[in-house]
Amino acid sequence: MKTHTKILLSLLASYLVISSGMVLADKPKNKLNGLDICLTTKNPAIPGAFKKIFYLHLSQIRSKTASTLFAVNGLENGYKGSTHPPQTYVNQLVGTAVIATPSEMIDANDNLLIGLTGSASGKQGDTQGLWTMTYNFELNPATDTGLLLGALEFRPIATGIASLAKPTQTEAINIELVKVDCLTAFKHQ
């Protein structure tokens, strides 16, 4: 009888540990569905540079196999007040997010990993073309702060002509991001 009781108690204790761990593990994921995150650079923009604000909306992808996968729709809004009139741009972004350990495993903690791509038509000087961007966000899921690594490219495209033009400008991005209030983020530009 004592052995039977010990087995039942150990099974019950194991169940409680496992189920409480699952609840704790699912808690951050549950708060992400429908979440709006707004981010800006941690350090002020260099004089004459664009101030960037990212608006991201996460929607959980319902799946039997990937319950931690989120669709992300976003905008990157840039503002440069040093010109008259001030210059602005908007890039539309789309991608996926997951809570996981970064691939380098330098930080053993789970992060909110977001991969986004986007495009926008625009000009570089007088040349019309296409801007493309590839972004990788590694955010702390508790604070929504972290790192953005990315690449930005401008490819000139002549009117009415499809060509194999090489990029004329590429830019590497490695910046720290902090969370800002989405309701007021765009009012301060």
Side-chain angles (χ1 to χ4, degrees):
M1 187 81 136
K2 289 182 181 182
T3 305
H4 183 43
T5 304
K6 287 180 184 178
I7 291 172
L8 284 175
L9 286 174
S10 89
L11 286 174
L12 179 60
S14 298
Y15 171 76
L16 290 173
V17 168
I18 290 169
S19 65
S20 66
M22 288 168 47
V23 169
L24 291 174
D26 288 341
K27 195 170 188 176
K29 296 168 194 144
N30 290 338
K31 79 169 192 160
L32 295 176
N33 189 35
L35 181 67
D36 293 328
I37 302 172
C38 290
L39 304 161
T40 192
T41 54
K42 180 178 180 180
N43 300 318
I46 298 168
F50 281 95
K51 177 183 177 185
K52 298 174 187 257
I53 294 180
F54 295 91
Y55 169 81
L56 309 176
H57 177 80
L58 282 70
S59 302
Q60 187 171 10
I61 296 173
R62 301 283 181 200
S63 169
K64 292 179 182 175
T65 59
S67 62
T68 61
L69 188 62
F70 297 86
V72 182
N73 293 298
L75 294 174
E76 173 187 3
N77 187 343
Y79 177 82
K80 187 191 303 187
S82 62
T83 61
H84 185 72
Q87 293 178 312
T88 62
Y89 69 83
V90 175
N91 295 329
Q92 56 278 7
L93 305 166
V94 65
T96 57
V98 65
I99 292 184
T101 303
S103 58
E104 297 86 26
M105 297 186 68
I106 295 168
D107 180 3
N109 296 322
D110 284 349
N111 285 329
L112 176 57
L113 306 177
I114 303 173
L116 298 175
T117 57
S119 64
S121 61
K123 290 187 173 184
Q124 183 68 4
D126 291 332
T127 306
Q128 182 70 29
L130 180 70
W131 289 95
T132 56
M133 60 274 330
T134 306
Y135 292 143
N136 183 65
F137 295 79
E138 290 185 12
L139 305 176
N140 178 322
T143 62
D144 297 328
T145 61
L147 183 66
L148 167 61
L149 295 174
L152 183 64
E153 178 181 282
F154 178 76
R155 185 175 301 269
I157 301 174
T159 304
I161 300 173
S163 67
L164 298 175
K166 293 182 180 177
T168 59
Q169 178 180 338
T170 57
E171 179 182 335
I173 300 168
N174 183 347
I175 54 177
E176 287 186 65
L177 298 172
V178 293
K179 185 177 179 179
V180 291
D181 180 12
C182 289
L183 295 176
T184 59
F186 295 104
K187 292 179 184 179
H188 296 295
Q189 292 191 7

